[in-house]
Amino acid sequence: MSEELNPFEIAQKQLDAAAAIMQLEPALHELLRWPIRELHVTLPVRMDDGSSEIFHGYRVQYNDSRGPTKGGLRFHPHETIDTVRALAAWMTWKTAVMDIPLGGGKGGIICNPKVMSPGELERLSRAYIRQVGRILGEDMDVPAPDVYTTPQIMAWMMDEYAFMRGHNVPGVITGKPLPLGGSAGRGDATARGGMYCVREAAKLLNLATAGATMAIQGFGNAGQYAATLGPELLGLRIAAVSDSQGGVYNPAGLSPAALIAYKQSTGSLAGFPEGDAITNAELLELDVDILAPAALENQITAENAARIKAKVIAELANGPTTPDADAVLYGGGHYVIPDFLCNAGGVTVSYFEQVQNAYGYYWKEAQVHELLDEKMATAFHAVAQTADDYKIDNRMAAYVVAVGRVAEACKLRGWV
Ligand code: NAD
């Protein structure tokens, strides 16, 4: 039988495995297998040539027992409701493992932003808020950027929401540009949090990070900042990077600044002169110390897991590893820092952004870094300790910590 690659079925399977370890009571387990509510929307948008195009979008609010739902918005041509459901579930576990007072949600629009003009993207973003705005709010559900959405898109959405409510509501969305109430340190927060986790993992594994090699799949927000911060914070050497067009490999080390400049000028990494061209599949199997998947789901599967060589897998992307691959990696002694822990820096600084919006006073970047570091290190060690106590892999340990907290909140509210 071929491996299941539907992200939501994978998310449910992971929860089922954790529920068995925790001996979660059946009603609670069933409640946590499903989103609490979801909204499907159809969005007519006037295109630049005068025609109208009809788009479809979603917002899923998975569980709000610990606080307002929170989670990014994706613009992607292959977006599906099941991907959004999975991402919303993982957001629920992510806010819980970080112990921040939020639930989990996610949204998406099926579209190809690469072929849309800024005007078309703005009209699509505003149309989405006109439909979904009725279930958003700083105390209800707070979106943020994700794949192919940007601070500019967050600004248009916040503005449209302000018109609906009749007054400014900066806390309705995070990842905003700084002049509109964004937080210092939000831009690189996902990668920074991931690098703090790598630092803690290296301590446990007695791995010297200075000069250790890292390969990064995906060169957007998470991937580019990881390429810069890995060397800056930990002394890592960037051996390979890739984007949707292909990748580049140079075991002697690639210059992050040169890679970013090249991608900015040509639109992709393909043809970067200071290394050898490699495919995304080859990048995953390189002999490096650290592998950071920072693109999309289902990259490490039963098919390629046995060929992965990296000692540490730092999952900046959501859902890059399938359950069958997890078993192979754990059996092979690889140290996986699971997605909803490793990439939780983004939502953590988004939460800081909400706090700053609520009291109208803004922190310095150094303060944000310090608070993020403390939160990431605490969550990392809670998961590592649980993995040790239960003799389970880190993903299951993260589930045990997170599901335990969400389950407790559901029970205290009297839901089950
Ligand atoms: P982004 O849109 O900024 O970048 C995505 C990158 O992935 C691009 O470089 C793109 O070329 C590349 N890509 C797309 N398809 C690919 C493929 N098949 N192979 C290789 N590369 C491919 O997105 P992002 O915000 O960096 O998000 C990347 C991952 O990190 C996603 O899984 C996202 O859910 C996760 N994440 C992001 C944040 C955040 O704050 N931005 C927070 C948590 C998790």
Side-chain angles (χ1 to χ4, degrees), residues 18 21-22 97 330 336 338 340-341 379-404:
I21 294 166
M22 301 166 76
V97 87
Y330 188 53
V336 175
F340 68 78
L341 168 66
F380 178 92
H381 288 289
V383 169
Q385 187 63 50
T386 305
D388 244 19
D389 292 347
Y390 284 74
K391 306 284 172 258
I392 50 179
D393 67 47
N394 289 331
R395 188 176 325 278
M396 274 307 111
Y399 265 95
V400 167
V401 173
V403 172

Side-chain angles (χ1 to χ4, degrees), residues 104-282:
K106 202 80 183 190
I109 302 179
I110 306 168
C111 67
N112 184 358
K114 289 184 181 173
V115 299
M116 294 173 71
S117 72
E120 290 168 343
L121 279 174
E122 176 175 355
R123 291 191 290 279
L124 177 64
S125 301
R126 289 184 186 275
Y128 181 80
I129 292 301
R130 283 198 296 276
Q131 289 305 323
V132 175
R134 66 198 69 199
I135 61 163
L136 300 181
E138 65 277 47
D139 295 324
M140 287 168 69
D141 184 12
V142 181
D146 196 80
V147 173
Y148 298 150
T149 53
T150 60
Q152 177 60 72
I153 290 173
M154 300 303 112
W156 291 324
M157 290 185 166
M158 181 199 82
D159 185 64
E160 192 65 29
Y161 187 80
F163 276 107
M164 287 173 74
R165 287 273 292 263
H167 58 90
N168 213 15
V169 191
V172 71
I173 206 156
T174 59
K176 300 180 292 291
L178 283 177
L180 294 182
S183 174
R186 175 60 182 90
D188 70 14
T190 301
R192 181 175 291 273
M195 292 305 109
Y196 291 154
C197 286
V198 169
R199 180 195 65 203
E200 297 305 305
K203 284 185 207 160
L204 291 185
L205 299 169
N206 282 323
L207 172 77
T209 57
T213 49
M214 176 160 71
I216 306 170
Q217 185 200 38
F219 207 61
N221 173 290
Q224 281 187 32
Y225 281 120
T228 310
L229 291 172
E232 190 182 307
L233 299 176
L234 306 177
L236 300 179
R237 193 151 33 104
I238 306 303
V241 292
S242 67
D243 63 17
S244 58
Q245 316 290 313
V248 54
Y249 173 53
N250 184 344
L254 293 157
S255 152
L259 290 164
I260 291 168
Y262 186 83
K263 170 125 181 155
Q264 264 165 6
S265 70
T266 68
S268 90
L269 294 168
F272 183 76
E274 291 152 36
D276 300 327
I278 49 163
T279 65
N280 266 294
E282 288 165 343

